[in-house]
């Protein structure tokens, strides 16, 4: 007799899995290795920016009070007492009618309270000294970037859990974070099950297919921020499969298996969960594809039993595994970013269950459209190659027309969102 | 006297640089290391998919002709002669009123031309043999996935230059690409110039700032698909800087320097280009920030002279360096993806020159909006951390209002586009 399973809504299934999201583990890496990791600490300003009054231009620093009488007819003359570039420290305090030649980014000398740009100054030599003359009045503070005007020391600049992008690295370097606390990447084991599976380098034989799911989910794990660990493939044989999975669990944080979760005669995962003593959270979800996606818990480890069908495996990985990986990296927005889009293709199939359709985003005239990947044929594997989002079609709908508003989940967006819905 | 430089339009500057884009170099990596690399080959179907007639369900394979008389009142009886799971090869040819118990994904036995799902079949034992009875007529081909119905052998599935995502890896594995030809990542050297620069692990001292540009551009190079090689920082001293840069060019494909390209008294890059015998393509661009961005050519190497100002450095890297890196990876769409968006903030500054404003994307109700990062303060470094696009404001405009249509360049989109505009 075929086992009858009761499907649960996908939102409920995700909540149940996320109840077991583990706290992140912190590790420290040199700043140059921090690209695309997630921050396990806040970035705090360790100094004012700028940390000194600074010139935004090449020009002459001087006292604005000395320019009060300056005009086209009667330029004021200043003696140039020093010449400093960025990184050089001014040594001379300015007194009346003295100026310092100063480069962009350099520190304003004591006494000066403004900078006159080169373009409005005239320099000349006289008695072996350098002078500059100015024909207009300057305001106090003019052309000076004040200490702390950009960032005040102690300010929290970037939150924990943020993905480290080039812009984040700029802040880290500016504030002296030569090593950075980042979230450890969880190690996710992968085991493919199915007697029909060949290794990727094997010749195709009758009745067999190559194992594509393990490599695909491995890449999904990398995209989500985890470290995949491929532990091989298993034939549909209970005892040896059980042993391999039991050993695998000692090497990884969580384990993904592909295949073997359905109710077919050779689907062994249910028996293996039982033998392991793992608690099955659910084994049937009211969604397509991936309705047989099963998640079980053993201690603090999650066992993701994904379908052997490529698109179901893909969807299961994105919906259940991705947020677990991201939450363990301190992300407060671990779920796929969901946005509204206009459907640019017919999708006439009725949806008794929530359906996740492989799609891609098209931007046009400021609007977001989505097109169904590979709608012209049932080519599952190739259409995955061109998908960058999943369209969510709610259960109980009768199909969708061109121009309908739909929701899509962005697969390559690392920002995410706080909740699944 | 300050040198007067003639600014060229940004589009022209980019075209001049891209004239020197070099062809990609191919290297081969194992499939498991191919995540996020770019294909240096087409992916071609090396077999039909499926490669045999296959069952989409658990059920019984049989001859549809035998079901012609089946009805609720008179079910037809079939002898079950074999039981095969996925990956097992059927050994028995079916004759009239014989059936094979078959699992999802398994090969259809010879003689059979349809599959009756479990749910509509009744199995029973009789005289030690297994039988199944069926109460409805089946069509020829019903519930059979035909060989080659998804992909036909020889079909080109994915083009050269495509980024390898999880979906692309699924295709690679399916078709036996255990090693994959990918584009070699160009090595981009980085040298920061400026006497004012401290190392990131140094204590702040008067007049100094920490070197943030080198780490930032390093991360930008990684995002674009290159391998950054940080070669240190230089004080503003001509002879030693020249020697270091000359040596650096022997270790890298192209070289980025930050700082020293302006017309200040300590800006040494122009003199170094001359001493190297490099041809300066331009040293002034009609854009903000980054107007002093300079690109020079020496043999087949490009020298990117980016500004020392963080946001100018960032913009210069995205506009000039990124497409060079991507083109050398066989991407036919090396330019930043440009889309239309609705401005969600005031940006009242007039733009005598094309301006690239640090922004981020907001999706709302199917439309793309853009907000200015850090508009409330002049905090350049921190606003970079929150930017995911650059808004392009054309020169000769008087500022923009909330609700205006603008164009944005997406920084984290790897798809890109064929032309800059």
């Amino acid at each position: 007799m075929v086992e009858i399973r009761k499907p649960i809504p996908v939102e409920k299934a995700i909540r149940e899995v996320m109840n077991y999201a583990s706290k992140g583990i912190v590790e420290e890496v040199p700043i140059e290795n921090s690209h695309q990791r997630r921050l396990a600490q806040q970035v705090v300003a360790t100094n004012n920016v700028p940390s000194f009054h600074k010139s935004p231009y090449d020009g002459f620093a001087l006292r604005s009070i000395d320019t009060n009488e300056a005009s086209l007819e009667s330029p004021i003359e200043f003696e140039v007492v020093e010449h400093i570039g960025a990184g050089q420290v001014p040594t001379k305090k300015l007194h009346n009618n003295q100026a310092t030649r100063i480069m962009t980014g350099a520190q304003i000398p004591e006494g000066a309270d403004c900078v006159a740009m080169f373009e409005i100054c005239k320099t000349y030599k006289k008695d072996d000294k350098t002078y500059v003359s100015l024909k207009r009045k300057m305001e106090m503070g003019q052309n000076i970037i004040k200490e702390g005007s950009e960032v005040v020391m102690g300010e929290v600049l970037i939150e924990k859990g943020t993905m480290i992008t080039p812009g984040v690295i700029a802040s880290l370097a500016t504030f002296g974070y030569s090593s950075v606390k980042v979230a450890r990447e969880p190690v996710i084991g992968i085991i493919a099950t199915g007697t029909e599976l060949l290794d990727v380098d094997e010749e195709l034989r009758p009745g067999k297919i190559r194992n594509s799911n393990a490599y695909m989910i491995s890449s999904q794990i990398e995209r989500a921020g985890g470290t995949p660990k491929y532990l091989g493939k298993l034939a549909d044989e209970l005892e040896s499969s059980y042993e391999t999975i039991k050993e695998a669990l000692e090497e990884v944080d969580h384990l993904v298996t592909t295949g073997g979760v359905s109710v077919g005669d050779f689907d062994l995962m249910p028996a293996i969960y039982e033998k392991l003593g793992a608690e099955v959270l659910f084994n049937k979800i009211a969604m397509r594809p991936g309705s047989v996606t099963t998640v079980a818990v053993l201690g603090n480890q999650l066992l993701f039993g994904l379908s052997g069908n490529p698109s179901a495996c893909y969807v299961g990985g994105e919906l259940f595994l991705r947020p677990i990986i991201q939450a363990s990296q301190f992300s407060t927005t671990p779920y796929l970013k969901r946005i509204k889009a206009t459907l640019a293709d017919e999708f006439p199939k009725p949806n008794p269950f929530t359906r996740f359709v492989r799609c891609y985003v098209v931007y046009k005239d400021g609007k977001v459209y989505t097109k169904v990947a590979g709608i012209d044929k049932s080519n599952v594997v190739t259409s995955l190659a061109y998908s960058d989002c999943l369209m969510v079609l709610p259960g109980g709908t009768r199909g969708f027309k061109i121009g309908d508003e739909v929701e899509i989940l962005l697969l390559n967006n690392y920002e995410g969102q706080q909740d699944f819905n």
Side-chain angles (χ1 to χ4, degrees), chain A:
Chain A
M1 190 52 213
V2 174
E3 175 197 352
I4 304 298
R5 296 176 174 179
K6 192 174 149 41
I8 69 168
V10 60
E11 294 80 2
K12 184 157 187 283
I14 290 173
R15 273 200 307 277
E16 296 218 354
V17 173
M18 288 299 277
N19 282 339
Y20 294 89
S22 51
K23 283 224 183 69
I25 294 172
V26 180
E27 65 183 20
E28 209 151 338
V29 296
I31 184 173
E32 56 267 35
N33 298 344
S34 68
H35 177 74
Q36 276 203 330
R37 301 293 297 265
R38 278 188 189 267
L39 283 171
Q41 62 173 115
Q42 291 180 325
V43 179
V44 178
T46 53
N47 52 259
N48 290 328
V49 176
S51 61
F52 46 85
H53 300 325
K54 160 168 120 171
S55 176
Y57 301 117
D58 296 338
F60 293 91
L62 39 83
R63 296 161 17 120
S64 61
I65 196 170
D66 295 342
T67 68
N68 278 348
E69 307 300 319
S71 70
L72 281 176
E73 298 74 33
S74 54
I76 309 280
E77 183 179 85
F78 294 82
E79 186 195 346
V80 180
V81 296
E82 198 173 15
H83 181 178
I84 55 166
Q88 292 174 347
V89 182
T91 57
K92 299 214 170 123
K93 178 174 175 175
L94 297 190
H95 301 286
N96 55 326
N97 291 78
Q98 292 186 329
T100 295
R101 186 175 167 106
I102 191 169
M103 296 294 113
T104 304
Q107 183 171 349
I108 305 294
E110 215 182 324
D113 64 6
C114 68
V115 171
M117 291 170 74
F118 268 160
E119 289 78 351
I120 64 164
C121 297
K122 195 179 153 190
T123 48
Y124 47 92
K125 292 254 176 191
K126 200 169 68 179
D127 306 335
D128 241 24
K129 288 180 172 170
T130 307
Y131 290 87
V132 61
S133 74
L134 187 61
K135 291 178 173 174
R136 62 174 87 156
K137 184 176 171 345
M138 301 289 298
E139 300 298 326
M140 189 188 287
Q142 197 174 344
N143 295 338
I144 287 187
I145 306 176
K146 285 226 171 125
E147 178 182 347
S149 60
E150 291 195 8
V151 182
V152 176
M153 189 163 100
E155 208 182 317
V156 174
L157 302 175
I158 307 170
E159 289 299 337
K160 195 167 156 175
T162 303
M163 165 82 91
I164 300 178
T165 57
V168 171
I169 285 184
S171 279
L172 288 167
T174 299
F175 297 105
Y177 289 84
S178 56
S179 80
V180 188
K181 290 199 173 78
V182 298
R184 177 178 154 273
E185 297 185 339
V187 177
I188 312 293
I190 304 161
I191 290 177
T193 78
T195 302
E196 75 278 22
L197 297 181
L198 297 171
D199 272 326
V200 64
D201 56 358
E202 285 186 89
E203 275 300 309
L204 218 51
R205 295 200 302 275
K208 305 276 185 178
I209 57 170
R210 291 197 191 86
N211 170 17
S212 62
N213 286 338
Y215 294 96
M216 177 182 74
I217 197 80
S218 177
S219 178
Q220 289 176 274
I221 289 165
E222 286 195 60
R223 177 167 66 185
T227 299
K229 185 165 187 173
Y230 178 42
L231 299 161
K233 62 186 176 58
L234 298 174
D236 299 323
E237 203 284 304
L238 181 61
E239 200 53 41
S240 63
S241 296
Y242 164 74
E243 289 298 335
T244 305
I245 286 171
K246 198 171 146 67
E247 282 166 32
L249 284 168
E250 293 177 13
E251 299 179 45
V252 299
D253 291 302
H254 303 296
L255 182 69
V256 170
T257 54
T258 65
V261 283
S262 192
V263 292
D265 301 347
F266 302 95
D267 286 315
L268 301 176
M269 289 309 299
I272 291 171
Y273 294 135
E274 200 180 328
K275 212 165 147 78
L276 287 167
E279 179 198 351
V280 172
L281 298 180
F282 50 81
N283 57 18
K284 184 101 181 171
I285 308 171
M287 71 174 200
R288 296 285 183 280
S291 64
V292 297
T293 307
T294 301
V295 178
V297 186
L298 184 63
N300 52 10
Q301 291 181 295
L302 288 163
L303 290 87
F304 296 88
L306 304 183
S307 166
N309 168 290
S311 59
C313 179
Y314 189 92
V315 168
E318 292 302 322
L319 296 186
F320 298 98
L321 180 54
R322 187 184 188 283
I324 282 290
I325 292 175
Q326 302 237 320
S328 82
Q329 305 214 296
F330 306 105
S331 172
T332 53
T333 55
Y335 298 99
L336 288 166
K337 179 98 175 165
R338 182 189 288 241
I339 67 172
K340 291 203 169 72
T342 303
L343 183 56
D345 284 313
E346 295 288 323
F347 195 86
K349 286 193 209 172
N351 305 292
F353 302 103
T354 304
R355 186 187 289 270
F356 296 91
V357 185
R358 297 175 296 281
C359 287
Y360 58 96
V361 171
V362 177
Y363 297 104
K364 197 169 173 237
D365 294 333
K367 289 186 72 180
V368 184
Y369 293 85
T370 193
K371 288 183 76 71
V372 179
I375 196 172
D376 49 328
K377 40 172 129 181
S378 55
N379 180 338
V380 173
V381 167
T382 316
S383 69
L384 280 174
Y386 292 106
S387 304
D388 61 15
C389 66
L390 295 171
M391 175 165 66
V392 189
L393 300 181
T397 49
R398 298 189 141 274
F400 287 80
K401 293 191 307 295
I402 292 177
D404 281 354
E405 184 187 82
V406 293
E407 290 188 331
I408 57 176
L409 305 175
L410 301 179
L411 296 168
N412 295 320
N413 175 295
Y414 56 74
E415 189 193 331
Q417 62 179 41
Q418 263 186 306
D419 297 300
F420 175 66
N421 281 306

